[in-house]
Amino acid sequence: MKKLLLAVSVLLLNVPLVQAAGDAKRGQELYQANCTRCHDTSVHTRPNRIIHSLDGLKKRIQFCESNGRLNWSPEQIEDVAAYLNAKFYKYKEVP
Ligand code: HEC
């Protein structure tokens, strides 16, 4: 019964069980539409990268996003973090 309840609440709340908090696909679209004005994705693979943790990545996204005056919600920042982390940085999600 407990298992059933859990399954139902996961369905209702649409909680992703394995995925990172953000939606990487939505993040990719957001990135391509808004983030390539100043740099392309090669900054994320440069040898002297300035990002060293998932938290640092999110902070940097927030910094760049507010520099670009995009007014993003925390969800949009999570989505782009999920995208960049899955594609380039590959830090472990801290639960
Ligand atoms: C107004 C210009 C500008 C915009 C728009 C911008 N960035 Fe940046 N971003 C920069 C600059 C400049 C750097 C490099 C800073 C440095 O070398 O110290 C950078 C670096 C970064 C880095 C660190 C790269 C690394 O690993 O060293 C990340 C992550 C990043 N940007 C994400 C984003 C995201 C996500 C967006 C879209 C919301 C975005 N940026 C939009 C200017 C911008």
Side-chain angles (χ1 to χ4, degrees), residues 59-91:
K59 289 203 172 99
R60 180 70 212 193
I61 294 170
Q62 197 164 23
F63 181 83
C64 277
E65 169 273 319
S66 55
N67 265 349
R69 300 188 196 287
L70 295 171
N71 248 328
W72 276 2
S73 67
E75 288 75 26
Q76 287 171 303
I77 291 169
E78 287 290 333
D79 290 347
V80 174
Y83 161 60
L84 290 179
N85 194 45
K87 185 121 197 250
F88 303 106
Y89 294 97
K90 307 197 191 290
Y91 297 117

